[in-house]
């Protein structure tokens, strides 16, 4: 009797699997390209797209694993991944990805890995195709899927910057809080995705799949009977435009990591060839800055590749060149820890002081100008800054932290109460190979990474003076107006966007803390 029941159940399963299901869900419609979807109303549709096959212009995943290896594992790990590239290119696609995952993740602490949210989004955004982005923006719900990239690498980018509701990537195995460099079995990933598509099919009634011919995503879309499936060809990608910055769903204001260029194979080769020379150049430039007088160090640094451009507005020029000039208060935007030093170079003086909240002890000891640590107590900090201003020129960075992108953070108004006259200073410092700032790394190395660039460049622009409020702000509102005015003046000079974001916002996003920096 049990045998008959078993046979009957098997027959019912086959009947349901191959006949009823096919009848209820007609064969999906295949399309060669998704471009005409731009003319359709997709607000009630769920769009399922493959990240590497249908959204990114580049087909190579090597740069993204190189970023994880360099930023999370260090130079040696990234160099090992680099020299293994010939072997990876000879392997099958799946085996090559597994090897890159192993080299990039093995031994990395799970809780300490923030590259997926702090580093990779910048490079993913720079690789997004504008045409596919426009299609996805029209969808009612978006589900991003990756066959090869781990969840920890793509979730922050897709959810935070592309507003993707659901992200399905490969999960990483963890032992004792550390990644072991192995992804979970692909069957488990496929089952989770199948269940997800089934739910979407029941909830929305219309699911559209967007993938490429060389990914496995289309098999699962077919198994769940999507109404339409669109395939992106390599030739389509070559004709795509890159997503412009002004069309990012969320502005890219904060990002971390030392590398300023995408580490493609050729870029990685150039970086590793330049590396030994970079260390020697940084050491020599640091020695010249610390041990040689300004009158000699400036031409020597210029000969070594350092570049400094100085622009002075008329009124500031008269003030700075006056023989009766006393201490001046310079308020500048913050690009690197070397901002005050380059302002000193521009003024051709070492009689200049800067104040800081969290400069590392190593940087304080190496600084060729005087640095004073503030206490975050408004009254005592104000008295200390007035005393320093009476002794000579004082440089303050009201943003309180650095910002790499063309945005200005909110200016703290404390500096407006220190002097009756404030000279705004607009500074820019473009990075070529390395960023001279970090939120989660060792800040003591910030000046060295800046000096490791082939041509460390600064532009310092002294703007027209602004009146302070040291004795004329009874209701306490004028200081905020002056601080906002100084911010807007600098923003206009640099063509930067002014924001209300603060130091705390930056560190919560990039480092997961409130901005308290270890004293290295």
């Amino acid at each position: 009797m049990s045998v008959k029941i078993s046979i009957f159940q098997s027959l019912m399963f086959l009947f349901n699997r191959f006949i009823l299901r096919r009848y209820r869900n007609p064969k999906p419609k295949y399309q060669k390209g998704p471009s005409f979807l731009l003319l359709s109303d997709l607000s009630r549709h769920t769009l399922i797209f493959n990240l590497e096959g249908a959204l990114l212009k580049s087909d190579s995943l090597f740069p993204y694993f190189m970023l994880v290896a360099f930023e999370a594992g260090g130079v040696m790990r990234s160099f090992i991944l680099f020299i293994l590239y010939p072997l990876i290119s000879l392997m099958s696609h799946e085996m090559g990805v597994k090897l890159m995952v192993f080299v990039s993740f093995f031994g990395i602490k799970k809780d300490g890995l923030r590259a997926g949210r702090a580093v990779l989004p910048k490079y993913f955004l720079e690789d997004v195709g504008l045409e596919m982005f426009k299609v996805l923006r029209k969808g009612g719900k978006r589900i991003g899927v990756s066959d090869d990239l781990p969840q920890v690498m793509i979730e922050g980018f897709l959810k935070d910057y592309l507003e993707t509701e659901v992200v399905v990537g490969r999960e990483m195995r963890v032992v004792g809080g550390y990644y072991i460099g192995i992804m979970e079995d692909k069957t488990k990933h496929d089952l989770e995705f199948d269940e997800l598509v089934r739910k979407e099919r029941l909830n929305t009634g219309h699911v559209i799949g967007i993938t490429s011919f060389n990914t496995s995503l289309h098999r699962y879309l077919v198994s769940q009977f999507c109404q339409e499936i669109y395939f992106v060809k390599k030739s389509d990608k070559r004709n795509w435009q890159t997503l412009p910055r002004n069309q990012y769903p969320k502005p890219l204001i904060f990002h971390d990591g030392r590398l300023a260029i995408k580490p493609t194979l050729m870029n990685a080769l150039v970086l590793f060839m330049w590396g030994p020379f970079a260390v020697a150049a940084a050491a020599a430039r640091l020695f010249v800055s610390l041990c040689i007088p300004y009158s000699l160090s400036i031409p020597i640094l210029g000969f070594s590749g350092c570049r400094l451009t100085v622009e002075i507005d008329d009124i500031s020029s008269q003030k700075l060149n006056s023989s009766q000039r006393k201490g001046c208060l310079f308020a500048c935007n913050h690009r690197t820890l070397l901002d005050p030093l380059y302002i000193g170079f521009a003024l051709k003086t070492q009689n200049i002081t800067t104040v800081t909240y969290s400069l590392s002890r190593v940087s304080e000891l190496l600084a060729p100008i005087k640095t004073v640590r503030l206490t975050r107590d408004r009254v005592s900090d104000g008295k200390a800054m007035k005393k320093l201003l009476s002794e000579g020129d004082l440089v303050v960075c009201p943003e309180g932290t650095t910002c790499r992108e063309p945005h200005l953070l909110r200016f703290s108004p404390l500096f407006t109460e220190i002097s009756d006259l404030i000279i705004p200073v607009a500074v820019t410092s473009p990075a070529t190979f390395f960023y001279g700032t970090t939120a989660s790394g060792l800040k003591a190395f910030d000046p060295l990474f800046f000096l490791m660039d082939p041509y460390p460049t600064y532009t310092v622009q002294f703007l027209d003076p602004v009146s302070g409020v040291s004795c004329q702000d009874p209701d306490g509102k004028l200081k905020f107006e002056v601080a906002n005015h100084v911010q807007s003046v600098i923003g206009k000079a640099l063509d930067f966007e002014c924001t209300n974001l603060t130091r705390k916002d930056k560190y919560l996003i990039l480092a997961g803390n409130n901005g308290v920096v270890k004293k290295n």
Side-chain angles (χ1 to χ4, degrees):
M1 183 66 179
S2 60
V3 175
K4 293 182 178 180
I5 294 176
S6 178
I7 296 175
F8 177 75
Q9 290 177 339
S10 299
L11 291 174
M12 288 300 298
F13 171 79
L14 292 174
F15 182 74
N16 177 73
R17 176 70 175 84
F18 294 104
I19 300 178
L20 291 182
R21 191 171 171 182
R22 180 169 297 183
Y23 176 78
R24 290 195 300 262
N25 301 284
K27 188 175 181 180
K29 180 171 62 175
Y30 293 92
Q31 302 289 344
K32 291 184 177 181
S35 57
F36 84 94
L37 283 174
L38 289 172
L39 304 176
S40 306
D41 181 12
L42 305 177
S43 59
R44 296 184 179 181
H45 295 66
T46 295
L47 303 183
I48 302 178
F49 66 94
N50 180 267
L51 174 63
E52 56 268 32
L55 179 63
L56 302 181
K57 294 179 61 178
S58 172
D59 292 322
S60 175
L61 301 180
F62 173 78
Y64 305 111
F65 287 109
M66 178 63 79
L67 284 166
V68 175
F70 185 90
E71 303 296 351
V75 177
M76 287 306 301
R77 184 188 295 263
S78 60
F79 183 69
I80 293 173
L81 179 60
F82 172 72
I83 62 177
L84 286 175
Y85 184 83
L87 178 62
I88 294 171
S89 62
L90 294 175
M91 293 179 170
S92 65
H93 176 77
E94 185 174 353
M95 289 302 299
V97 169
K98 287 182 178 180
L99 181 55
M100 289 192 289
V101 169
F102 181 79
V103 175
S104 302
F105 282 88
F106 179 77
I108 300 296
K109 191 175 182 179
K110 179 182 178 181
D111 294 339
L113 181 65
R114 300 192 63 83
R117 293 190 178 275
V119 179
L120 293 176
K122 172 183 182 294
Y123 298 94
F124 278 134
L125 283 168
E126 293 173 351
D127 198 20
V128 171
L130 174 61
E131 288 77 4
M132 182 55 62
F133 171 78
K134 290 181 177 179
V135 171
L136 296 179
R137 294 295 288 175
K138 293 173 67 67
K141 184 176 182 179
R142 292 161 289 271
I143 299 177
V145 183
S146 176
D147 295 327
D148 304 313
L149 293 173
Q151 181 91 2
V152 69
M153 289 180 63
I154 63 175
E155 187 170 27
F157 159 64
L158 290 177
K159 285 191 174 182
D160 297 343
Y161 289 92
L162 288 194
E163 300 175 350
T164 303
E165 288 80 359
V166 181
V167 177
V168 182
R170 303 288 297 277
E171 293 293 341
M172 297 291 298
R173 293 184 182 178
V174 179
V175 175
Y178 290 84
Y179 292 111
I180 61 173
I182 300 175
M183 292 186 288
E184 293 288 354
D185 186 69
K186 202 166 186 178
T187 304
K188 181 180 179 180
H189 171 265
D190 295 343
L191 290 175
E192 292 176 353
F193 179 65
D194 282 352
E195 182 64 25
L196 175 65
V197 176
R198 183 179 296 109
K199 291 180 179 178
E200 288 301 320
R201 180 73 172 84
L202 294 174
N203 293 336
T204 64
H206 202 121
V207 179
I208 296 177
I210 307 174
T211 183
S212 63
F213 289 102
N214 58 345
T215 64
S216 59
L217 177 61
H218 67 276
R219 295 200 305 268
Y220 310 111
L221 293 176
V222 171
S223 68
Q224 297 305 320
F225 300 104
C226 289
Q227 284 79 0
E228 300 175 33
I229 299 177
Y230 296 86
F231 288 97
V232 177
K233 298 184 295 184
K234 291 185 178 181
S235 58
D236 297 331
K237 289 187 175 185
R238 286 194 290 267
N239 296 325
W240 282 357
Q241 300 180 43
T242 302
L243 178 64
R245 290 182 62 93
N246 59 7
Q247 293 191 33
Y248 288 179
K250 175 183 176 181
L252 180 68
I253 300 176
F254 300 126
H255 58 87
D256 206 7
R258 292 295 190 182
L259 292 182
I261 60 173
K262 184 178 179 180
T264 61
L265 180 62
M266 291 306 300
N267 286 345
L269 175 61
V270 172
L271 281 171
F272 286 119
M273 291 178 63
W274 169 246
F277 300 99
V279 174
R285 291 162 176 169
L286 186 62
F287 174 80
V288 171
S289 301
L290 296 177
C291 303
I292 297 180
Y294 269 24
S295 57
L296 297 176
S297 65
I298 292 178
I300 295 175
L301 289 173
F303 180 77
S304 72
C306 295
R307 300 287 183 264
L308 172 61
T309 302
V310 181
E311 302 175 10
I312 305 179
D313 289 359
D314 294 337
I315 301 178
S316 292
S317 177
Q318 297 175 7
K319 175 67 176 176
L320 295 176
N321 294 326
S322 173
S323 59
Q324 299 180 348
R325 181 173 80 87
K326 297 182 180 180
C328 289
L329 177 63
F330 299 96
C332 72
N333 60 302
H334 206 4
R335 303 303 282 181
T336 77
L337 294 178
L338 300 180
D339 294 339
L341 180 60
Y342 270 87
I343 291 176
F345 280 135
L347 296 173
K348 298 180 180 180
T349 179
Q350 284 182 304
N351 184 27
I352 193 170
T353 305
T354 186
V355 291
T356 178
Y357 287 113
S358 58
L359 190 66
S360 69
R361 294 299 185 187
V362 175
S363 299
E364 286 182 338
L365 292 173
L366 294 178
I369 61 175
K370 183 178 179 181
T371 62
V372 176
R373 186 180 292 268
L374 299 180
T375 63
R376 299 188 185 276
D377 179 83
R378 188 175 191 83
V379 176
S380 60
D381 288 346
K383 292 180 179 179
M385 292 170 67
K386 287 182 178 180
K387 183 176 183 298
L388 293 172
L389 187 59
S390 66
E391 298 171 356
D393 294 334
L394 178 64
V395 178
V396 297
C397 300
E399 288 178 287
T401 189
T402 57
C403 183
R404 298 173 176 179
E405 295 301 316
H407 294 81
L408 295 180
L409 308 187
R410 189 178 69 192
F411 276 31
S412 172
L414 179 60
F415 74 98
T416 65
E417 305 174 84
I418 306 304
S419 173
D420 292 329
L421 194 66
I422 303 166
I423 298 181
V425 184
V427 299
T428 56
S429 177
T432 306
F433 285 169
F434 305 102
Y435 285 115
T437 62
T438 183
S440 57
L442 294 175
K443 299 186 75 66
F445 291 143
D446 285 1
L448 292 177
F449 274 98
F450 173 80
L451 295 173
M452 285 170 60
D453 254 5
Y455 299 100
T457 303
Y458 249 92
T459 298
V460 179
Q461 183 178 357
F462 295 94
L463 307 176
D464 290 338
V466 174
S467 298
V469 293
S470 58
C471 302
Q472 45 183 336
D473 190 16
D475 57 0
K477 295 182 179 180
L478 186 57
K479 61 185 179 184
F480 293 101
E481 296 177 2
V482 174
N484 292 338
H485 176 65
V486 173
Q487 182 197 39
S488 64
V489 167
I490 295 177
K492 183 178 181 180
L494 298 174
D495 196 23
F496 283 9
E497 182 179 347
C498 297
T499 74
N500 286 320
L501 298 172
T502 64
R503 171 192 178 87
K504 184 177 180 180
D505 296 319
K506 171 185 171 180
Y507 278 88
L508 285 175
I509 293 173
L510 300 183
N513 58 51
N514 61 359
V516 177
V517 181
K518 295 181 180 179
K519 299 175 182 180
N520 301 312

